[in-house]
Amino acid sequence: MVDGTDHIQQIFELQKKHQHVVKRTSAAERIQKLQKLKTIIRTQTPAILQALQQDLEKPSFEAVTTEVLGVIHEIDRFIASLEQWMQPVEVATQSMGATAKIIWEPKGQCLIFSAWNFPFYLLFLPLIPAIGAGNVCILKPSEMAPATSRLASKIVREVFEESEVAIFEGGVDVAEALLALPFHHIFFTGSTSIGKHVMQAAANHLASVTLELGGKCPVIVDEHVDLEKMTPRIAFGKFANAGQICLAPDYVFVKEHQLEEFVQHVEAYVQRSYFENGQLTQTDMAKIINERNLQRLQDLLEDAVSRGAKVRFGGTIEDGRIHPTLVTDVPLEAKIMQEEIFGPIMPVLTYTDLDEVIEYMDSKPKPLALYIFSDHQRFVDNLLARTTSGGATVNDVMRHMAEPNLPFGGINESGIGRYTGVFGFKEFSHERGVLFQAPAGSNPMEEFARAPYKGKLETLMQRLK
């Protein structure tokens, strides 16, 4: 049952009044809430796995490592460091006798939208820094993962009062009703096209935004890399969660003379990882979220083939899944090279000179991530210096997001803002600069700076010489 607009407005007004109470909470009080959330998540882990199985048929191992443990580890980081992060930062001043500091204030009323591909993780991960920074929040889980959405609502209502954290299930109508409200900060995870709509809605109230979007994350492989050792890292990142990851490698560039070897290693990885006796082991491969997205992926593949691309292995559709697929000879004008794939299809392109790769990347929107495989620092430095991406991992994929001491986020079309760890705390905080002026009369320049100005301009001009 969809919550009505009147109820959404009622909760928004309730949180508007309560935000000032939450703002004054101590680190210990916020940590206590996070500890309670952690306890409930641990207790509900079997139910979380069951919900993810219903929505995505996600392998339980992937669900635990990427959804449950990811949230718990972030809570642990905040429990360990929040008191330190909340401390004011003293800064130097130019005013004689004055002191200054930066204090961390909550942004206020926050709205968090999650995505369906990691429906538990992407809902609770941004909630942690929002709570740690002292905000009140309304959450909107993805309606495309209804079982996880229902369970998330149960967890939120068990841990928090609605005056502090509330959750509304539903579809586009609920999302639009929420976007019409004057939140102070909006955190959205999803597609670039909907991210633009969210940003336009936020502009109506001059709300700040964090947009975690996506894009076509490229992999560039140096010819000197040991393909047998490195290929599993690329293939795992591409086919985990059936490729439905914003950070998944979207396409791969390899040297022309290494194409066949690369294809062989990827196929060998796929066979030993996802097949048994020639049959796809469905417990190791998530399904595509719905029929519409399954058809979209099939259309991308058919379009590429119609333009001359070759399916080297995979392409079979079975029980809502697409078998891990690799295609070569893909024309750059094919739709699969224009749209984010978000599925288990790996286009492999070849290059003869690195300048070709850089020129191609430069002609495209800035990706969420860049993956470089090389043992030569000059090769890596050259790519990093001549390209732009939200983040990058060298000799692996997606791992930079799992490093809490690095900021995670996109750039331009792939996103705005940074989070995880202390960067999430800062993202949900307002850095308020405070100056404590020296006692009146203690600074001789104070009187000089006031009117009347007669005779003072000459003194200033002398100082400029």
Side-chain angles (χ1 to χ4, degrees), residues 357-371:
V357 177
I358 294 171
E359 183 178 352
Y360 178 76
M361 286 186 59
D362 193 48
S363 70
K364 298 299 178 182
K366 298 170 184 175
L368 180 59
L370 168 64
Y371 305 123

Side-chain angles (χ1 to χ4, degrees), residues 37-46 48 68-69 72 76:
L37 176 61
K38 176 183 173 180
T39 299
I40 297 299
I41 290 173
R42 284 184 175 275
T43 302
Q44 291 291 329
T45 293
I48 295 168
V68 178
L69 287 179
I72 289 175
D76 287 340

Side-chain angles (χ1 to χ4, degrees), residues 284-309:
D284 292 324
M285 171 68 70
K287 71 172 185 177
I288 304 302
I289 183 67
N290 56 29
E291 184 62 34
R292 180 175 63 84
N293 275 278
L294 190 64
Q295 185 63 52
R296 178 186 63 81
L297 290 168
Q298 186 175 7
D299 291 345
L300 288 179
L301 191 58
E302 290 176 353
D303 173 76
V305 171
S306 72
R307 296 172 187 266

Side-chain angles (χ1 to χ4, degrees), residues 15 42 45-46 60 65-66 69 100 109 115 156 164 176 196 206 216-217 222 307 325 349 376 380 405 423 445 464:
Q15 291 193 350
R42 284 184 175 275
T45 293
S60 294
T65 56
T66 62
L69 287 179
Q109 291 183 268
V156 167
E164 183 170 348
E176 293 297 341
K196 292 178 181 179
L206 295 179
K216 298 181 73 64
C217 301
D222 184 6
R307 296 172 187 266
T325 304
L349 311 175
H376 295 276
V380 174
N405 294 320
F423 305 100
M445 290 302 296
L464 291 174

